[in-house]
Amino acid sequence: MSFLGIDLGTGSLKLAIIDDEGREQCSTSIAYAIDTPHPGWAEIDPLIWWRALCEAAARFPDAQRSAVRAIGFSGQMHGVVLSDAHGNAVRPAMLWPDTRALSLLDAWPAPQPNPVAPGMAGPLLRWVALHEPQSILAARWAMQPKDWVRLKLGGAIASDPSDACATALAEPSGAWDRALLDRLGLPGEWFAPLAPSYAAGGTLSDEAAQALGLPAGVLLATGAGDTPCAALGSGLTGDGDALLTTGTGGQILVLATDEPDAVPGLHRYRAATDHWYRMAAMQNVGVALEAVRGWLSYEWQHAYRDAFESDVSPGLTFLPYLTGERTPWLNPAARGGWLGLALGTSRGAMMRAAFEGVAFSLRAGLDSIRQSGARVSALRLAGGGSVDPRWRQLLANALQVELHAVDCPNAAARGAALLGGIAAGHWHAGDLAALAPAATRVAGPQGDAQLAARYARFIDLYGRVEPWFAQLSR
């Protein structure tokens, strides 16, 4: 008996199969590209997700696929798929890095229970309502990405609180804000009924089973957003447990038994289980590092080598805000770049400054969490962008925390698979602590005073250039 987790990410789809004791048996992933037909847009044809899912499943041995008894879902948060009654997308899916709705955020005046970004479903759907009446007429459902995948597999029309609460269209609890939907002119019937992330959400259809090589009738769990799934898969089960994920973006979250207080710049969302979590969400981690690597014409191994073996250029600062920023600045107009370049500045120094800039942006988010009252001295570490030991040490020094690498390379997919096992009745919520993967201390803060001084300059520099960003956005 085994359970399959599907993690629908921004740049790739990952699959993981775990056994009846929660141990990963096999995994695979398929990468894909975001489409940017206009500046600031971020879209993808959902059928690309479907083809990636079929291709990824085909890589598993037949014996592994035939043993699957339930499937759970993890999905990139905030974006939206508009579909007809049969689940066919009426336009490309709109994703969280999309900034086309930047000028429409006046519909969410401060204060809000959670920060609102232009790439959330609410602003994006408001944009569609104003600019694409044909899409509005053709649409029956406005779904979160993982909910579209579940429907494609034959599952129920449903969403869960962990995803719904991050749309800017729901209460922090996840319940749809019907008054807000009416005020925005969005049909309330577009939004699926809510179910717990671990609830059964239909069964695998014959057609989908054939496409994936899985047994027909396999139970489908409702699923959750990728961040709460990563927390679950990484072993966060109790109040105060904390996690750092580094992928395209970065998140630092701290689990809470009760609903956290509202704090400007921080999110307070529902977890995949019955917990809450407070979260700092930083948009520019892997996306910024990948952009810099490309600009400097590096292969990744050489980028790490030159960045961490070259002398640090103390006067060079990189602001990584290529797609705006959420925590702590709440500034979608923020932009990035180097300051302090000289004729003799090397590629390695520029790459090192980029790594430090990303680490400093994560530190600014963690500082917000600490200022909210949470004590964070250690973080579990997950995400494909956090493997190199030199990068881990820089993160530990910048964040002033111990880092404990989770023995689970596919945390979100594993969390999704665990939800499948709970939906099937194999596990219960009380079993999750015992299923937590091992974590190894991989780095601790070394008291780097020079790095601390560069962080202080980074914060000062952002404050000085922020007014300029506002002028650029006009």
Side-chain angles (χ1 to χ4, degrees):
M1 178 189 299
S2 61
F3 306 97
L4 171 64
I6 299 174
D7 176 31
L8 179 65
T10 309
S12 65
L13 178 141
K14 300 178 180 68
L15 301 184
I17 293 178
I18 64 174
D19 65 16
D20 57 2
E21 295 184 3
R23 298 171 300 198
E24 183 177 302
Q25 299 299 294
C26 53
S27 64
T28 189
S29 66
I30 300 291
Y32 36 72
I34 294 174
D35 189 20
T36 55
H38 302 284
W41 291 28
E43 298 185 340
I44 194 169
D45 180 350
L47 290 179
I48 293 175
W49 296 336
W50 173 250
R51 289 192 289 269
L53 176 57
C54 294
E55 182 180 349
R59 295 181 177 182
F60 286 146
D62 291 342
Q64 292 284 0
R65 285 184 283 176
S66 64
V68 171
R69 293 295 175 266
I71 301 173
F73 300 87
S74 161
Q76 55 182 289
M77 299 170 71
H78 306 308
V80 65
V81 183
L82 274 175
S83 81
D84 64 18
H86 304 289
N88 302 309
V90 303
R91 67 168 328 282
M94 306 165 79
L95 310 179
W96 65 266
D98 198 301
T99 59
R100 77 185 75 182
L102 177 59
S103 64
L104 304 178
L105 300 186
D106 58 342
W108 289 266
Q112 289 291 319
N114 272 306
V116 178
M120 292 180 173
L124 291 173
L125 289 173
R126 189 178 183 218
W127 185 93
V128 173
L130 292 173
H131 295 279
E132 295 183 0
Q134 71 282 4
S135 297
I136 298 297
L137 291 174
R140 172 62 185 88
W141 299 107
M143 291 181 285
Q144 297 295 281
K146 66 102 171 48
D147 296 328
W148 181 87
V149 174
R150 188 185 59 254
L151 179 62
K152 184 72 174 174
L153 294 183
I157 294 286
S159 191
D160 78 295
S162 80
D163 236 354
C165 69
T167 61
L169 295 171
E171 303 292 342
S173 66
W176 298 115
D177 187 336
R178 299 295 174 180
L180 176 60
L181 294 176
D182 289 343
R183 181 163 59 81
L184 295 174
L186 300 177
E189 61 270 17
W190 272 3
F191 301 93
L194 300 180
S197 301
Y198 47 81
T203 58
L204 189 65
S205 69
D206 292 343
E207 180 182 3
Q210 184 174 4
L212 301 182
L214 295 169
V218 164
L219 185 70
L220 306 177
T222 300
D226 55 357
T227 297
C229 273
L232 178 61
S234 298
L236 271 66
T237 59
D239 188 83
D241 290 349
L243 176 72
L244 165 63
T245 63
T246 57
T248 304
Q251 298 84 32
I252 300 174
L253 65 91
V254 181
L255 213 61
T257 302
D258 301 316
E259 180 180 0
D261 294 333
V263 175
L266 291 181
H267 302 263
R268 49 182 180 138
Y269 288 154
R270 294 303 303 271
T273 54
D274 294 326
H275 284 81
W276 294 74
Y277 63 95
R278 69 186 81 192
M279 181 180 71
M282 287 65 63
Q283 293 189 181
N284 300 274
V285 179
V287 68
L289 293 174
E290 176 61 26
V292 171
R293 183 199 66 80
W295 294 335
L296 299 179
S297 299
Y298 268 126
E299 296 295 331
W300 267 116
Q301 60 177 340
H302 299 140
Y304 279 109
R305 180 199 64 197
D306 286 3
F308 291 102
E309 294 181 6
S310 300
D311 292 336
V312 174
S313 181
L316 184 60
T317 300
F318 178 74
L319 295 178
Y321 303 123
L322 307 184
T323 65
E325 190 52 290
R326 288 159 66 183
T327 309
W329 313 122
L330 293 180
N331 187 356
R335 290 296 177 263
W338 288 272
L339 281 175
L341 288 171
L343 286 177
T345 303
S346 68
R347 282 198 308 159
M350 294 175 70
M351 194 73 224
R352 170 64 182 231
F355 277 111
E356 288 194 358
V358 168
F360 292 159
S361 74
L362 293 169
R363 167 64 184 277
L366 181 56
D367 282 350
S368 290
I369 289 180
R370 286 171 167 152
Q371 290 163 10
S372 76
R375 295 184 177 181
V376 182
S377 59
L379 290 166
R380 286 197 164 218
L381 183 63
S386 56
V387 175
D388 187 277
R390 296 162 295 188
W391 176 222
R392 288 173 168 175
Q393 187 59 58
L394 174 58
L395 287 171
N397 288 342
L399 300 175
Q400 297 184 337
V401 295
E402 289 188 353
L403 294 178
H404 298 260
V406 179
D407 186 15
C408 178
N410 303 291
R414 180 178 184 269
L418 288 172
L419 293 175
I422 296 173
H426 180 69
W427 293 303
H428 301 282
D431 301 322
L432 293 175
L435 295 171
T440 303
R441 185 185 185 277
V442 293
Q446 296 176 333
D448 188 334
Q450 293 180 341
L451 184 71
R454 292 197 294 277
Y455 173 61
R457 187 174 62 248
F458 173 92
I459 296 298
D460 177 68
L461 179 60
Y462 176 84
R464 291 174 183 270
V465 300
E466 187 175 38
W468 184 60
F469 298 147
Q471 294 176 17
L472 287 177
S473 65
R474 290 172 185 167

